[in-house]
Amino acid sequence: MASSSRGIQVGNAWFQKKVNLRPQHRGVHLVTEEILRQIPELCNFTVGIFHLQILHTSASLALNESWDPDVRDDMEMMLNKLVPEGLPYKHSCEGPDDMPAHVKACLLSSSLSIPISDGKLNLGTWQGIWLCEHRNHAGSRKLVCTLNGCLVPGTPVSTASSTAQNNPHCSSSHHSHSHSASHSHSHSRS
């Protein structure tokens, strides 16, 4: 566990990046190192928050046991007992594992916030980040990782030199995700 002895720090920096996790079979998977390999910028933060958001509705994130893989197997067993396939779900067009996957994702979480201390995640001794894959045949899972905090003194930073008028992503008509009243279903959307 990392700990910071710097006291109150002034300054605020933001960093955001999308990361991809490799496809996993249905179950609970420890992905801490896979995520951290894709976010080397973490070491530039002395104190802050590391926020993860999964961009899917049939998988979830959890913070739990990182040492004994039996815990992950037992969690998958319990999730399947709590939310079984084969119930008369109305939403069934994407296969028998899809609606249970949505329910499991609601019971767990789509995001995690973890403290940053001295350039590392401040996790408990046996804590790790889990990808809870609720589909039988899912593809790569995408996460948005946002870091906010104070930088190590001397860390080079880029400033937002372009104004909102020059940035095509800042138009008043732009929305990060739009929904229409009717949408088509596909097996790869969740």
Side-chain angles (χ1 to χ4, degrees), residues 15-43:
F15 174 80
Q16 188 172 75
K17 183 178 183 180
K18 283 188 180 178
V19 298
N20 292 312
L21 299 179
R22 69 185 186 279
Q24 296 278 8
H25 60 84
R26 181 171 162 169
V28 178
H29 308 278
L30 186 63
V31 294
T32 311
E33 293 305 318
E34 184 177 357
I35 292 168
L36 292 177
R37 277 192 300 274
Q38 297 181 63
I39 308 292
E41 296 82 2
L42 176 64
C43 70

Side-chain angles (χ1 to χ4, degrees), residues 104-124:
K104 291 172 188 177
C106 282
L107 292 175
L108 294 174
S109 183
S110 63
S111 65
L112 298 173
S113 291
I114 303 168
I116 300 168
S117 298
D118 296 325
K120 296 182 175 110
L121 297 185
N122 198 333
L123 296 169

Side-chain angles (χ1 to χ4, degrees), residues 12-188:
N12 194 21
W14 288 89
F15 174 80
Q16 188 172 75
K17 183 178 183 180
K18 283 188 180 178
V19 298
N20 292 312
L21 299 179
R22 69 185 186 279
Q24 296 278 8
H25 60 84
R26 181 171 162 169
V28 178
H29 308 278
L30 186 63
V31 294
T32 311
E33 293 305 318
E34 184 177 357
I35 292 168
L36 292 177
R37 277 192 300 274
Q38 297 181 63
I39 308 292
E41 296 82 2
L42 176 64
C43 70
N44 295 319
F45 287 81
T46 58
V47 64
I49 296 291
F50 182 92
H51 184 267
L52 285 173
Q53 174 75 31
I54 193 164
L55 301 178
H56 304 275
T57 60
S58 60
S60 52
L61 299 171
L63 192 62
N64 212 307
E65 170 74 47
S66 65
W67 181 74
D68 185 356
D70 290 342
V71 175
R72 297 190 299 273
D73 291 340
D74 290 343
M75 178 61 78
E76 175 65 13
M77 176 192 66
M78 289 307 302
L79 287 170
N80 290 330
K81 286 186 181 294
L82 289 171
V83 187
E85 290 183 21
L87 295 177
Y89 298 109
K90 290 183 179 182
H91 174 73
S92 61
C93 62
E94 296 181 62
D97 65 330
D98 187 56
M99 190 58 217
H102 293 305
V103 175
K104 291 172 188 177
C106 282
L107 292 175
L108 294 174
S109 183
S110 63
S111 65
L112 298 173
S113 291
I114 303 168
I116 300 168
S117 298
D118 296 325
K120 296 182 175 110
L121 297 185
N122 198 333
L123 296 169
T125 301
W126 306 114
Q127 286 183 319
I129 300 169
W130 285 0
L131 168 67
C132 303
E133 179 53 72
H134 307 305
R135 294 299 304 268
N136 291 330
H137 305 288
S140 174
R141 295 302 193 170
K142 294 168 186 55
L143 307 175
V144 173
C145 177
T146 304
L147 285 69
N148 177 232
C150 296
L151 294 175
V152 171
T155 301
V157 296
S158 63
T159 58
S161 59
S162 63
T163 64
Q165 294 172 339
N166 296 333
N167 187 337
H169 298 288
C170 293
S171 69
S172 60
S173 63
H174 177 76
H175 298 283
S176 62
H177 194 284
S178 61
H179 294 280
S180 61
S182 65
H183 53 81
S184 63
H185 292 295
S186 74
H187 290 283
S188 62

